[in-house]
Amino acid sequence: MNMEDSSFEAQEVDLRAYWQTLKKRRYTIIACLAAVVAVVGLMTYTQKPVYQASAKVLSKGSRNNQADLLTSTIPALGAFADQRDVQTQVEIIKSWPIMQEAAEKSGMGESIPAAMPVKVDGGKDNNIITITASSTNPRTAQLLANNVANVYVDHNLAEARSSAHKGRVFLEGQQGKVTEALEHAAKALRNYQMESGVVSLDAATAKQVETLATLESSIITSKTEKAANDARSRQFREQLAQTDANIVGASQIVVNPAVQKLQETVTDLTVERAGLLKDYAVTSTKVRAIDAQIDLAAAREKSLVRNILASKSISSNPVYQQLLGGLADAEGQALASAARVSGLEQSVKEQRAVLHSLPEEQYMLAQLQRDVSVKEKTYLALQDRYQQLRIAEESTLANAQVLEPALLPGVPVSPKVKLNMILAVLVGLMLGIGAAALQEALDDALWTGEDVERDLGLPLLGLVHNIADPNERSLLRAGPMSGVSEAFRLIRSNIKFMAVDKEIRTLMVTSATKGEGKSTTACNLAIALAQDGKKVTLVDTDLRRPSVHKQFGIPNTAGLTNAIVSAAPLAEVEHDVDIENLRVITAGPIPPNPAELLDTARFAHIVEELQTTNDMVVFDAPPVLGVADSSVLGGRMDGVVMVVSAGGVERGAARRTVQMLQQARAHLLGVVLNKMNEQDGGYYYNYYYYQYHNDDGAVKKRRKRHDSGGKTGAGRN
């Protein structure tokens, strides 16, 4: 056999060894498997089913149409949501206000947002946000998922319309005041014209009055814008103070040199624009150029304020970032309005100085007409912007919409019965195999022929099954085709193989401890030898607990002790049995000193005499451990057979027995593994059939056994 074949055979033997271990420990594996499956099954079937419902929301991203519309009407009141990316929207959906409102609408009361059974996931390659709600009630899961989606969309719409709504409400409050002021100014003009008789102004004076009215109207509008932006700024700061205490103060922005320089630029440009209005219309190219420069400076100022605020920010909360963006817009617009007011006031001061040079009556009429013109322009501007804000508020759409509402779930997502049971089986098997491996490692008993050869260093002479029925253990009652007969014929053959160099005439059968079946083995081995045509005498040398006479059903009144002590002839103590070529010498009366009797010259003479009249003498000796009888006998025998009960003796005790026999110079032939369970047979079974008969001779059972290894213990040595 080459090395590859040897390696393959070793691997095959190892795999079979593992399989035999699993078979031997199958009850441990089954117990662990049953326990795990029972626990998991109990937990699975007692757990309340959990249902999941998912709603999908489309986040449309930032929208600037509203911002353009509002800044074209009233920049101070123009506010729009600074929409973030999808992940920012996910965080907004998870925020406390939205979750709290959705919980209340779903009938969950004041739930803690962190404990809400809602999961929000944003798409990686798209703007679709999935909102998944879980509940033991399928309708609750559906309702909660839809409510979270709807509340978020409503919140998004309200946020988008909030600035236009606030501006419209503010202008509604200003309209009454402006109308009352216009009526009062018109009435004062009519009264003065009637009293003074002065009806109109010359063309130059009328133009100056118109220019002054336009400037003062612009001042009022700019102051209104500044007041609105200051109010917005205060509101944003209050909300930011609740979100993050480290918010930048307004003074930090005002004293910034770059901001001051841009304010001065806006003021100078505003004064220059007022001067151009003396000679050019508002729609002229020069005035529009100045307006463009003013808008550019204001935009730079707003951007600078935003950067200043952002540089001081230490929070990444998306709500905080939205508030910060609104604050930057309000601060920038307020500063720009203040700069325009400063420039317009200088121009108004110059125009008023011109009017003071007019005659008294002309001056008073100019003042009254200026007041009426200012009020009319202011009223018309408010009306125009009010209508535009109404349109902006109504036309503003949310930046998100429910793409797919949650449906009523029909199948629970947990517990997953099939998956749990599959995992339970796998875990149970793994745990059982692990417990079996641990049990095998801690087991100190000899179970198989491999254990015998490996731990005792002795060849295996044969295996004998564990037979429950006492009548079937003995060859006296077992049929010639029974498993017991076949086993002892195999043992008999292996003993012959062991006697190639030296003929064995005396054979001792012993064991490590009591109860391993050495007396039954000695009787059956003697019968098997006799059936082979040899003249055999079986001698019961267990003078402490004799049992051979019980096996054959013969009296024990006279036996070996009589032959030793009283020198009785062997013919008087020998018994014929129903087995041809076999005679039995029982132990006789139990002596007080068995070891001393077996160590006498008389016993040695008896052994020599038995050898002359028999082909084989079989001695049933007592167990080795605890008494010295077997050690005394072993040195006088041609061969010793050791009986080991499978699983019935510890390895240490068996090794100690071998050591004691070897010290007594006994010739150990090998081991008979007795009481072997069928599932622990190892690799030593040949193909064989056995059958046993009832009292009428009818066949009761026929069974087949297979030897995977195809080798006996003798064949290995």
Side-chain angles (χ1 to χ4, degrees):
M1 180 181 295
N2 56 32
M3 294 183 63
E4 293 182 359
D5 294 338
S6 299
S7 176
F8 178 79
E9 182 179 355
Q11 182 180 5
E12 184 180 13
V13 170
D14 287 340
L15 293 177
R16 289 176 178 173
Y18 297 148
W19 174 246
Q20 291 299 327
T21 300
L22 295 179
K23 286 177 63 179
K24 183 171 67 176
R25 305 297 180 183
R26 65 186 182 279
Y27 295 113
T28 299
I29 298 175
I30 292 173
C32 292
L33 176 61
V36 174
V37 170
V39 171
V40 173
L42 181 63
M43 294 175 61
T44 298
Y45 285 101
T46 56
Q47 180 183 354
K48 290 184 178 180
V50 177
Y51 297 85
Q52 281 187 351
S54 298
K56 293 184 179 180
V57 176
L58 175 63
S59 177
K60 300 178 182 178
S62 300
R63 296 169 59 94
N64 295 322
N65 295 335
Q66 176 189 339
D68 296 339
L69 178 60
L70 292 178
T71 52
S72 66
T73 55
I74 301 181
L77 298 178
F80 53 92
D82 184 16
Q83 299 293 341
R84 305 296 180 186
D85 57 11
V86 174
Q87 293 303 319
T88 300
Q89 299 306 314
V90 168
E91 295 300 322
I92 292 175
I93 295 175
K94 292 179 180 179
S95 62
W96 177 81
I98 292 183
M99 288 295 178
Q100 185 68 25
E101 185 177 350
E104 292 176 356
K105 286 187 175 182
S106 303
M108 300 178 65
E110 297 182 357
S111 300
I112 302 175
M116 289 281 287
V118 178
K119 181 181 179 183
V120 184
D121 295 316
K124 295 181 180 179
D125 301 326
N126 51 54
N127 293 340
I128 298 177
I129 300 174
T130 303
I131 302 170
T132 304
S134 303
S135 175
T136 55
N137 188 322
R139 295 192 178 276
T140 301
Q142 179 192 24
L143 182 63
L144 182 58
N146 286 330
N147 282 338
V148 172
N150 293 330
V151 168
Y152 165 66
V153 173
D154 294 343
H155 172 82
N156 186 280
L157 179 60
E159 187 69 23
R161 292 181 174 181
S162 62
S163 295
H165 175 74
K166 293 177 183 177
R168 180 180 61 79
V169 173
F170 176 76
L171 290 182
E172 284 179 351
Q174 296 296 318
Q175 280 182 347
K177 297 179 182 180
V178 173
T179 301
E180 183 180 355
L182 176 60
E183 292 176 353
H184 180 75
K187 183 178 181 181
L189 176 61
R190 287 195 303 271
N191 291 338
Y192 181 76
Q193 288 176 336
M194 293 175 62
E195 293 175 358
S196 64
V198 180
V199 179
S200 63
L201 300 171
D202 57 73
T205 303
K207 185 176 181 179
Q208 290 180 348
V209 170
E210 180 68 20
T211 301
L212 182 59
T214 300
L215 293 175
E216 290 186 341
S217 177
S218 298
I219 290 176
I220 294 174
T221 302
S222 297
K223 286 184 177 180
T224 302
E225 292 175 356
K226 184 178 184 303
N229 281 297
D230 287 340
R232 289 181 61 219
S233 178
R234 287 193 298 271
Q235 183 179 8
F236 281 124
R237 289 184 180 278
E238 290 176 359
Q239 295 177 355
L240 281 169
Q242 298 176 359
T243 305
D244 192 340
N246 299 321
I247 184 63
V248 182
S251 59
Q252 293 176 279
I253 300 173
V254 175
V255 299
N256 187 280
V259 175
Q260 288 181 334
K261 184 176 181 181
L262 287 173
Q263 283 185 292
E264 293 173 359
T265 301
V266 173
T267 300
D268 294 341
L269 290 172
T270 304
V271 172
E272 184 179 351
R273 180 181 184 277
L276 290 174
L277 289 176
K278 296 177 183 180
D279 302 319
Y280 298 95
V282 177
T283 58
S284 65
T285 303
K286 291 188 177 182
V287 174
R288 287 184 176 181
I290 294 296
D291 289 341
Q293 295 180 37
I294 292 174
D295 292 341
L296 179 60
R300 290 179 178 177
E301 185 179 23
K302 177 182 175 181
S303 177
L304 181 59
V305 171
R306 182 186 295 273
N307 292 336
I308 293 173
L309 290 172
S311 65
K312 300 295 182 180
S313 173
I314 60 172
S315 174
S316 60
N317 188 332
V319 177
Y320 176 84
Q321 295 296 330
Q322 285 188 333
L323 294 174
L324 187 63
L327 174 61
D329 179 72
E331 290 281 0
Q333 295 288 356
L335 292 174
S337 298
R340 284 195 295 271
V341 169
S342 178
L344 290 170
E345 286 179 345
Q346 293 183 22
S347 299
V348 168
K349 186 177 180 181
E350 294 175 359
Q351 293 296 323
R352 285 179 178 176
V354 174
L355 290 179
H356 276 295
S357 63
L358 297 174
E360 182 65 24
E361 293 181 351
Q362 292 287 323
Y363 174 74
M364 290 300 298
L365 181 61
Q367 284 286 84
L368 292 173
Q369 287 184 350
R370 177 184 59 80
D371 288 342
V372 173
S373 179
V374 168
K375 299 300 187 297
E376 286 179 348
K377 291 180 181 295
T378 303
Y379 177 78
L380 293 175
L382 288 177
Q383 283 292 328
D384 181 60
R385 293 175 183 179
Y386 174 77
Q387 294 299 328
Q388 293 187 30
L389 282 177
R390 285 189 59 188
I391 295 173
E393 182 180 0
E394 295 299 328
S395 62
T396 299
L397 300 177
N399 293 329
Q401 72 179 62
V402 177
L403 186 64
E404 182 180 308
L407 301 178
L408 182 67
V411 179
V413 295
S414 70
K416 296 180 174 61
V417 178
K418 291 184 179 179
L419 179 60
N420 288 355
M421 298 313 296
I422 291 174
L423 292 177
V425 171
L426 293 177
V427 173
L429 287 175
M430 293 174 61
L431 183 62
I433 292 173
L438 178 62
Q439 190 176 7
E440 184 71 15
L442 297 177
D443 189 0
D444 195 36
L446 297 171
W447 289 93
T448 65
E450 291 79 11
D451 295 339
V452 170
E453 293 184 337
R454 180 181 60 251
D455 292 292
L456 301 184
L458 296 175
L460 184 67
L461 299 177
L463 304 172
V464 180
H465 281 296
N466 185 20
I467 301 174
D469 189 353
N471 293 326
E472 297 179 6
R473 298 174 189 167
S474 175
L475 295 185
L476 291 171
R477 286 166 287 275
M481 297 300 294
S482 66
V484 175
S485 298
E486 186 65 32
F488 278 95
R489 283 196 290 267
L490 180 63
I491 296 172
R492 180 187 66 194
S493 299
N494 288 334
I495 292 176
K496 288 182 180 180
F497 294 146
M498 299 300 294
V500 174
D501 298 332
K502 177 183 177 182
E503 183 182 6
I504 297 176
R505 301 289 301 280
T506 55
L507 182 67
M508 183 182 81
V509 179
T510 186
S511 63
T513 59
K514 64 180 181 179
E516 296 190 62
K518 52 93 182 172
S519 295
T520 302
T521 300
C523 294
N524 287 341
L525 184 56
I527 294 173
L529 291 170
Q531 290 175 346
D532 193 35
K534 291 183 171 56
K535 190 175 182 180
V536 181
T537 297
L538 173 62
V539 182
D540 190 352
T541 54
D542 188 351
L543 304 182
R544 301 175 186 272
R545 299 182 62 182
S547 61
V548 171
H549 63 282
K550 298 178 182 178
Q551 298 275 348
F552 289 92
I554 55 179
N556 190 31
T557 55
L560 180 61
T561 55
N562 301 97
I564 297 174
V565 176
S566 304
L570 293 179
E572 295 180 4
V573 297
E574 287 182 340
H575 298 272
D576 291 326
V577 293
D578 294 336
I579 304 298
E580 186 179 358
N581 298 325
L582 177 62
R583 290 181 297 176
V584 177
I585 299 177
T586 62
I590 298 176
N593 53 347
E596 286 78 357
L597 290 181
L598 297 177
D599 197 24
T600 60
R602 174 58 184 166
F603 177 73
H605 177 73
I606 293 174
V607 172
E608 292 177 359
E609 184 178 350
L610 289 173
Q611 289 185 69
T612 60
T613 58
N614 292 276
D615 297 324
M616 181 78 75
V617 183
V618 179
F619 295 88
D620 176 23
V624 175
L625 299 181
V627 296
D629 303 21
S630 294
S631 298
V632 173
L633 284 173
R636 295 180 175 181
M637 301 291 113
D638 295 333
V640 176
V641 173
M642 180 177 172
V643 178
V644 174
S645 175
V649 62
E650 295 182 354
R651 300 170 191 260
R655 285 195 290 265
R656 178 59 180 164
T657 300
V658 173
Q659 183 180 7
M660 292 178 65
L661 291 174
Q662 289 175 344
Q663 290 175 352
R665 300 183 181 278
H667 180 207
L668 281 167
L669 300 178
V671 176
V672 173
L673 191 57
N674 194 29
K675 300 182 181 179
M676 169 67 71
N677 292 324
E678 294 181 5
Q679 66 272 13
D680 300 329
Y683 319 127
Y684 290 94
Y685 291 108
N686 289 317
Y687 284 104
Y688 68 93
Y689 295 86
Y690 72 87
Q691 60 183 6
Y692 58 90
H693 304 268
N694 56 18
D695 295 338
D696 298 330
V699 177
K700 294 173 63 178
K701 185 185 289 186
R702 182 175 182 88
R703 188 173 297 176
K704 179 180 180 181
R705 288 289 176 260
H706 176 63
D707 173 18
S708 300
K711 296 182 180 181
T712 65
R716 292 173 181 264
N717 294 275

